[in-house]
Amino acid sequence: MDTISPERRSENMRRIRSKGMKPEMVVRRLVHSLGYRYRLHGGKLPGRPDLVFAKRRKVIFVHGCFWHQHQNCAISRLPKSNQDYWIPKMERNKVRDAEHQVQLKKLGWKCLAVWECETEDLAKLTGKVRRFLEA
């Protein structure tokens, strides 16, 4: 059972953005500080990756743990209310993510998914991003 009114819930959900959120900004600042330059939200690529490194044929997706259902992550819990809506929605998100990565690989792109919870440990994230971009 939801604890707020349907109108209030609708307003809350409407305010959630898909671009320029905190985890994405952390990754963007980190990558920029490492000296890499990129394009944002590759509109012509499957899944519209958050960061596109065209010359390297590499892309980075910054996934919110909740929206993309990061396994074994505390942030990725399902809502207790309206599960008939949320469970299929989250499953569709995971399937769509996997499809986009397959399509990108077929086009010759390499993908890295950075999870929201990984942005809290910058030293570890720096190593992960650097290894991906330099490989």
Side-chain angles (χ1 to χ4, degrees), residues 5-124:
S5 70
E7 294 80 21
R8 174 77 179 177
R9 174 65 60 204
S10 180
E11 182 62 25
N12 286 353
M13 298 307 289
R14 194 175 13 254
R15 290 176 183 247
I16 296 172
R17 298 178 298 159
S18 63
K19 297 176 183 172
M21 299 299 286
K22 183 179 173 185
E24 181 184 329
M25 297 307 293
V26 168
V27 174
R28 285 166 52 178
R29 283 189 203 105
L30 171 72
V31 169
H32 191 271
S33 73
L34 293 173
Y36 296 101
R37 299 300 178 255
Y38 50 85
R39 296 285 178 212
L40 293 175
H41 314 294
K44 295 180 181 176
L45 295 174
R48 286 184 276 155
D50 296 304
L51 283 73
V52 178
F53 305 87
K55 288 181 183 174
R56 297 171 186 270
R57 306 267 312 160
K58 294 182 178 183
V59 297
I60 294 178
F61 289 95
V62 182
H63 289 327
C65 292
F66 172 76
W67 294 106
H68 297 270
Q69 289 294 289
H70 188 201
Q71 288 188 341
N72 302 323
C73 177
I75 304 172
S76 70
R77 63 178 168 62
L78 284 170
K80 293 178 182 172
S81 64
N82 204 10
Q83 289 196 335
D84 291 341
Y85 170 77
W86 285 109
I87 291 173
K89 176 173 180 43
M90 297 305 185
E91 286 301 318
R92 283 193 313 269
N93 287 352
K94 288 195 296 189
V95 169
R96 189 173 52 236
D97 290 343
E99 289 172 355
H100 289 153
Q101 289 200 8
V102 168
Q103 291 171 347
L104 284 165
K105 285 179 185 172
K106 283 182 181 174
L107 293 171
W109 291 81
K110 293 183 179 176
C111 306
L112 174 70
V114 174
W115 294 96
E116 176 183 1
C117 62
E118 292 177 315
T119 61
E120 294 172 8
D121 185 350
L122 278 184
K124 194 173 179 181

